């Protein structure tokens, strides 16, 4: 892991850009150390510098967490494969024509998850070697499909906060039954692109004994800010011993 830049924010959080092979990322750490780690994942081609993602990460770091984000393949400035570009074009065409899109999502999102998991595990290995990071690991992000897969294969993740705002492939819907860590599940009740019943069915499928559903009215990007505070309290219960 090579750090390429750093800045100290007004709230004392240290923000550093890093590269790990071909993986670009950002690590934010609080003034106190060592701090428990929260992995914040995103997809849909968004860069990790997207303002909403940055605000979430900085807030969480200021609450006493080391927060890491990386750009998965096809996100931010990382190149997209020809297959990815074709899938996105097919998706746009089908949506404009009012055609079913589940099978396109299935063929597109599934490989993205499979490719992203080893990159996150490599990043996690490197992060946990840093002296400023210690204790349990949490997952927080809008990429629920990736979070489910990581929760199943990565025993170092102790708790997770998912956002029911993206397509979850059939494989991860089945894997949800194997997820047993504490969960906080956020649902926008009027999310225009994500059927509510699918999100409720997914929540029901999780195998966790401790799982909480927070539902708020509004569309995809309308999650109330207080949910970020509640999410930090959830992490406090499970990552700060």
């Amino acid at each position: 892991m090579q750090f390429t830049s750093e800045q100290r924010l007004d709230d004392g959080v240290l923000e550093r850009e890093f590269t790990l092979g071909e993986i670009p990322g950002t690590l934010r750490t609080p003034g106190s150390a060592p701090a428990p780690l929260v992995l914040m994942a995103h997809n849909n081609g968004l860069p990790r510098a997207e303002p909403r993602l940055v605000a979430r990460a900085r807030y969480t770091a200021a609450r006493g967490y080391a927060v890491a984000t990386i750009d998965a393949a096809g996100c931010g400035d990382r190149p997209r494969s020809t297959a990815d570009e074709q899938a996105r074009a097919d998706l746009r065409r089908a949506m404009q024509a009012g055609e079913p899109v589940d099978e396109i999502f299935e063929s597109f999102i599934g490989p993205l998850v499979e490719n992203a998991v080893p990159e996150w595990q490599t990043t996690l290995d490197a992060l946990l070697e840093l002296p400023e990071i210690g204790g349990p690991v949490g997952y927080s992000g809008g990429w629920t499909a990736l979070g489910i897969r990581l929760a199943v294969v990565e025993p170092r993740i102790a708790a997770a906060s998912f956002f029911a705002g993206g397509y979850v492939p059939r494989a991860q819907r089945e894997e949800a039954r194997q997820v047993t860590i504490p969960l906080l599940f956020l649902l926008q009740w009027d999310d225009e692109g994500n059927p509510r019943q699918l999100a409720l069915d997914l929540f029901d499928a999780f195998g966790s004994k401790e799982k909480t559903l927070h539902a708020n009215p509004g569309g995809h990007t309308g999650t109330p800010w207080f949910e970020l505070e509640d999410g930090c309290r959830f992490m406090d219960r499970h990552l700060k011993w």
Side-chain angles (χ1 to χ4, degrees), residues 101-161:
V101 296
D102 277 9
E103 290 306 315
I104 299 175
F105 270 125
E106 192 73 29
S107 63
F108 177 41
I109 302 297
L112 289 180
V113 171
E114 293 299 323
N115 292 334
V117 166
E119 289 197 340
W120 270 108
Q121 290 182 302
T122 297
T123 303
L124 181 56
D125 290 341
L127 290 168
L128 291 179
E129 292 180 357
L130 299 175
E132 59 267 41
I133 295 176
V137 179
Y139 176 93
S140 175
W143 198 353
T144 296
L146 173 64
I148 292 171
R149 184 80 181 122
L150 281 173
V152 171
V153 303
E154 184 47 72
R156 291 174 290 185
I157 295 178
S161 175

Side-chain angles (χ1 to χ4, degrees), residues 15-179:
E15 186 172 84
R16 289 176 287 176
E17 302 295 321
F18 67 83
T19 58
L20 184 61
E22 297 180 354
I23 306 168
T26 306
L27 175 64
R28 298 173 175 90
T29 49
S32 57
L37 175 64
V38 174
L39 308 177
M40 283 195 174
H42 59 279
N43 64 342
N44 293 333
L46 291 175
R48 66 186 187 282
E50 201 276 334
R52 286 188 297 121
L53 303 176
V54 170
R56 286 176 47 221
R58 288 181 172 178
Y59 181 91
T60 304
R63 286 284 298 260
Y65 292 95
V67 180
T69 61
I70 65 172
D71 281 339
C75 290
D77 294 328
R78 295 189 69 180
R80 296 178 181 177
S81 69
T82 301
D84 288 348
E85 293 289 11
Q86 184 61 53
R88 291 177 189 275
D90 291 344
L91 182 61
R92 287 192 296 269
R93 179 197 55 77
M95 293 179 71
Q96 291 169 357
E99 298 173 358
V101 296
D102 277 9
E103 290 306 315
I104 299 175
F105 270 125
E106 192 73 29
S107 63
F108 177 41
I109 302 297
L112 289 180
V113 171
E114 293 299 323
N115 292 334
V117 166
E119 289 197 340
W120 270 108
Q121 290 182 302
T122 297
T123 303
L124 181 56
D125 290 341
L127 290 168
L128 291 179
E129 292 180 357
L130 299 175
E132 59 267 41
I133 295 176
V137 179
Y139 176 93
S140 175
W143 198 353
T144 296
L146 173 64
I148 292 171
R149 184 80 181 122
L150 281 173
V152 171
V153 303
E154 184 47 72
R156 291 174 290 185
I157 295 178
S161 175
F162 295 149
F163 174 63
Y167 183 83
V168 177
R170 286 187 288 268
Q172 276 67 63
R173 278 180 258 165
E174 287 297 319
E175 284 183 322
R177 304 180 191 282
Q178 302 175 44
V179 175

Side-chain angles (χ1 to χ4, degrees), residues 88 145 166 201 205 222 227:
R88 291 177 189 275
D201 290 345
E227 288 291 1

